[in-house]
Amino acid sequence: MSETDYYVGVDVGTGSVRALVVDRKGNTVASSIQEIKTWRDPQDYRIFEQSTDDIWQAVGIAIKACIQSSHISPSSIKGLGFDATCSLAVTDFNGDPIVVTNGETLGQQGERNVILWADHRAVAEADLINATGSPALDYVGGKISLEMEIPKILWLKNRMHPSRFCQCQFFDLPDFLTYRATKNNTRSVCSLTCKCSFLPNTGWNKDFFKQIGLEELHNRDFAQIGAKEGEEVLIAGMPVGGGLSKAAADDLGLVEGTAVGSALIDAYAGWLGTIAASVIDESGTLSSIPKLDESAHRIAVIAGTSTCHIVQSPQGIFVEGVWGPYKDATIKGWWMNEGGQSSTGQLIDFVLTTHPAYNEAVKLSQEGSTTIHQVLEDTLERLRKQNNVDSLTELTKDLHIYPDFHGNRSPIADPRMRGWMTGLELDHSIVDMAKRYHATLMAIALQTRHIIDALNIAGHHITSIYMSGGQAKNTGLMQLFADVCDMPVVLPKNSGDAVVLGAAMLGRFAANAGESGTLKDEQSEKIWEIMVEMTPPGSMVRPKASEKEKRLLQAKYKIFLETIEIQKRWRAEMEAATNS
């Protein structure tokens, strides 16, 4: 391949689609972002729905904008990769969208055909599945999450007329995108294993699906959910079908037959785009090229609306309350665990926008041509000096926030957990807003430590954090991660691009595999080479807490853990009182 070959990555996030064109070194040539629609139910805060037609249209607009701005020929784009949120897309067997909104139109053709990852409608279905105690649950930390696809499919089955349900195809959204791009129905290991209860080594557990009331999937040899028994499931980046179909190529402004790589869930694409980074230290020295084995000691933290924590290991490690272990989810022969926080970026926005001083903070940021976060950080630093304390941790030592406003993904794995604040004052000023802001960042960092501790206690050996996503730009939060977790945080260059860069790597691997005849047995070696070559080096944020602040942080963590037990006990007491 010549140096003029390019690759496109497409990241379908919660609120937007992003397309990125890169060269073989991972250098950005062009980038474009397009917003996508989300429907909410004003009567039910749990409902989040989207449209595959709207998403696909945004994908086409974004890719065409990249081609136009970069002035490159579509024929020079050799590979295309997708990642997306782990949302449930529903179509008929022609690929036409099927409505997932509860009501008379449920199961008919229509626009709203995606149940977003954040949708928490399937509470009862998840409870029913978890009550079975099936061995299949061992591979999701002991409890299936209502954010996964099987509880959502069961929710649809329980409400949809059987004549409509049997006509449905169910896709994890990344797999829908490769299907729309190629018209090839082959699914990915990542989506099926991580979100659809496709088990390592054995595949579909037929008894599990019968036990939970989804025997229809089994009776049709799992054609509705993909991967009939004996059919191939693709490891990350392996070519899907014959590449772009003519219709998809026209939609995207690319060339028919362009290689399309088997997709990843967005967090796993973030892992792909960060974890192989070398590091530039304070003296400007570049670290040695990392080996694949080193990835076992690095956790990728992909932080946006929510946050995912992904680490791989050469053997499967079972961690209570943490998803996995998933075999071959990204690299063949390796196992992955995935922790997560259901609401982080969303939580920060909520705490800020609901505070009485929010409009004042916005006005100050506009007057100073800065961000609202910077206004609050400046306020905090001024308060620290006025109060003659050594750290912001000491400044906010009596203000505690527990962050599970939208349930706990891990390691408690309880969607009923709720957020709380203690230490509030009769203060509605921007000073109080700044303190709550810092306490929110602290809560997110403390929960990250909780997840990492659970992983390490179970057998992982994590020694560093590799960040990606929008929150990586928050320097205060990154320092808190380093101090609270007592380990370095690596920020790859352009860490905000890491997820979509990971998708572009899938496109490059697919193009290379098609030209060289790469077999899936070579995937681990070849994909790691691509990751090392295309991932830019990162900078390091080291822990710097003083001994006094370390004591305060340890006390904060102890209170954080106590908060969990208190909430569980209070909830049990109220349920007992209600039931009696």
Side-chain angles (χ1 to χ4, degrees):
M1 287 187 174
S2 70
E3 291 297 323
T4 57
D5 291 332
Y6 300 99
Y7 309 94
V8 174
V10 175
D11 167 43
V12 178
T14 300
S16 63
V17 167
R18 184 170 190 178
L20 184 75
V21 178
V22 297
D23 63 19
R24 295 186 67 203
K25 297 294 185 182
N27 299 310
T28 296
V29 175
S31 178
S32 177
I33 298 176
Q34 297 292 322
E35 292 186 356
I36 52 179
K37 300 176 189 174
T38 299
W39 286 269
R40 302 294 310 277
D41 183 342
Q43 305 303 318
D44 190 343
Y45 72 94
R46 301 173 302 171
I47 303 301
F48 294 76
E49 295 174 352
Q50 293 183 337
S51 159
T52 54
D53 283 347
D54 176 60
I55 290 168
W56 187 252
Q57 182 180 33
V59 170
I61 293 171
I63 292 177
K64 288 176 180 177
C66 287
I67 294 172
Q68 183 177 12
S69 65
S70 63
H71 305 291
I72 62 175
S73 169
S75 63
S76 65
I77 294 175
K78 303 301 181 183
L80 171 65
F82 293 97
D83 75 75
T85 62
C86 51
S87 302
L88 181 68
V90 185
T91 74
D92 62 20
F93 278 85
N94 293 320
D96 295 320
I98 297 296
V99 173
V100 297
T101 307
N102 200 18
E104 293 183 1
T105 61
L106 180 66
Q108 297 180 6
Q109 287 190 8
E111 186 177 23
R112 294 169 61 169
N113 71 314
V114 176
I115 303 179
L116 195 65
W117 66 269
D119 189 297
H120 279 195
R121 71 182 71 183
V123 175
E125 288 73 18
D127 285 346
L128 182 151
I129 294 169
N130 288 324
T132 66
S134 169
L137 301 176
D138 293 344
Y139 292 90
V140 286
K143 291 182 181 179
I144 202 165
S145 168
L146 78 176
E147 294 179 5
M148 293 180 176
E149 311 309 2
I150 300 306
K152 293 173 182 175
I153 293 172
L154 183 57
W155 184 95
L156 291 171
K157 187 248 182 177
N158 288 340
R159 289 159 180 80
M160 193 181 292
H161 192 278
S163 64
R164 293 180 180 177
F165 184 80
C166 70
Q167 299 300 316
C168 293
Q169 282 194 101
F170 303 104
F171 295 87
D172 193 41
L173 186 55
D175 281 349
F176 170 81
L177 294 171
T178 58
Y179 169 70
R180 184 68 180 262
T182 66
K183 276 304 177 185
N184 185 290
N185 204 21
T186 307
R187 308 300 177 94
S188 67
V189 174
C190 185
S191 282
L192 290 193
T193 300
C194 299
K195 304 303 172 185
C196 301
S197 299
F198 189 80
L199 302 184
N201 302 319
T202 59
W204 302 119
N205 182 326
K206 296 177 182 179
D207 291 338
F208 168 69
F209 284 92
K210 287 181 180 179
Q211 193 174 11
I212 66 175
L214 281 175
E215 61 277 359
E216 291 92 340
L217 301 184
H218 161 251
N219 293 341
R220 300 192 69 183
D221 197 18
F222 298 97
Q224 290 179 268
I225 199 170
K228 294 181 182 179
E229 191 164 353
E231 284 187 344
E232 185 178 21
V233 181
L234 295 178
I235 300 172
M238 293 298 291
V240 181
L244 278 181
S245 69
K246 185 179 188 309
D250 291 342
D251 290 343
L252 306 183
L254 298 174
V255 176
E256 181 181 1
T258 300
V260 176
S262 182
L264 287 173
I265 297 163
D266 53 359
Y268 291 80
W271 180 92
L272 204 73
T274 58
I275 214 73
S278 299
V279 179
I280 301 175
D281 65 19
E282 292 83 351
S283 66
T285 303
L286 184 66
S287 66
S288 59
I289 295 174
K291 304 295 185 184
L292 177 57
D293 289 349
E294 293 177 49
S295 65
H297 307 298
R298 303 176 173 190
I299 188 167
V301 177
I302 303 94
T305 305
S306 65
T307 296
C308 297
H309 308 73
I310 297 180
V311 61
Q312 73 169 7
S313 55
Q315 294 85 32
I317 297 175
F318 291 84
V319 186
E320 185 177 358
V322 176
W323 298 342
Y326 301 132
K327 188 179 181 183
D328 300 337
T330 303
I331 291 188
K332 181 174 174 54
W334 285 74
W335 297 73
M336 281 190 157
N337 286 101
E338 178 187 354
Q341 295 159 281
S342 294
S343 181
T344 52
Q346 185 182 49
L347 175 63
I348 296 169
D349 290 343
F350 177 81
V351 170
L352 298 186
T353 57
T354 58
H355 196 278
Y358 176 70
N359 290 335
E360 179 187 353
V362 170
K363 182 180 178 182
L364 289 172
S365 69
Q366 292 171 344
E367 291 174 351
S369 299
T370 186
T371 66
I372 188 172
H373 293 177
Q374 190 60 55
V375 169
L376 297 175
E377 288 163 8
D378 291 344
T379 302
L380 287 165
E381 182 58 21
R382 184 172 65 253
L383 288 170
R384 186 191 67 78
K385 292 178 179 177
Q386 289 174 355
N387 286 270
N388 194 30
V389 293
D390 297 330
S391 66
L392 299 183
T393 302
E394 186 173 0
L395 178 70
T396 59
K397 64 183 177 65
D398 295 318
L399 178 60
H400 306 283
I401 293 180
Y402 182 75
D404 284 333
F405 285 49
H406 197 54
N408 182 274
R409 190 181 295 171
S410 59
I412 308 169
D414 184 350
R416 294 175 179 81
M417 293 297 291
R418 289 295 177 261
W420 71 1
M421 300 182 187
T422 182
L424 301 182
E425 301 173 282
L426 288 174
D427 186 354
H428 51 71
S429 71
I430 197 168
V431 167
D432 181 71
M433 183 181 180
K435 289 180 179 179
R436 291 196 199 184
Y437 168 68
H438 186 265
T440 303
L441 300 187
M442 176 67 75
I444 292 169
L446 290 169
Q447 192 165 65
T448 297
R449 175 178 170 180
H450 192 201
I451 293 167
I452 292 174
D453 281 357
L455 290 164
N456 280 341
I457 289 169
H460 285 283
H461 301 284
I462 298 164
T463 58
S464 57
I465 298 170
Y466 280 64
M467 289 296 307
S468 64
Q471 291 176 42
K473 299 176 183 177
N474 189 323
T475 56
L477 180 58
M478 295 303 97
Q479 189 61 60
L480 275 175
F481 274 27
D483 292 340
V484 169
C485 299
D486 195 26
M487 61 180 62
V489 176
V490 176
L491 306 176
K493 183 181 178 183
N494 301 325
S495 55
D497 290 343
V499 174
V500 70
L501 175 61
M505 291 175 182
L506 299 173
R508 178 174 171 190
F509 182 87
N512 288 0
E515 289 196 356
S516 64
T518 297
L519 302 176
K520 63 180 180 180
D521 292 340
E522 302 172 293
Q523 189 260 6
S524 60
E525 175 187 347
K526 300 298 184 183
I527 196 75
W528 185 258
E529 290 175 359
I530 289 173
M531 291 165 63
V532 168
E533 183 176 2
M534 295 182 71
T535 307
S539 57
M540 182 176 287
V541 179
R542 298 184 184 276
K544 66 174 187 180
S546 66
E547 290 303 315
K548 180 180 182 180
E549 187 175 10
K550 286 180 180 179
R551 293 194 300 272
L552 289 167
L553 291 172
Q554 185 59 33
K556 283 273 189 182
Y557 187 53
K558 180 174 180 290
I559 291 169
F560 175 89
L561 297 177
E562 289 174 351
T563 299
I564 296 169
E565 298 309 314
I566 290 170
Q567 182 174 162
K568 287 181 176 180
R569 176 165 57 82
W570 286 357
R571 190 170 68 204
E573 289 174 1
M574 296 307 297
E575 288 174 352
T578 302
N579 294 333
S580 65

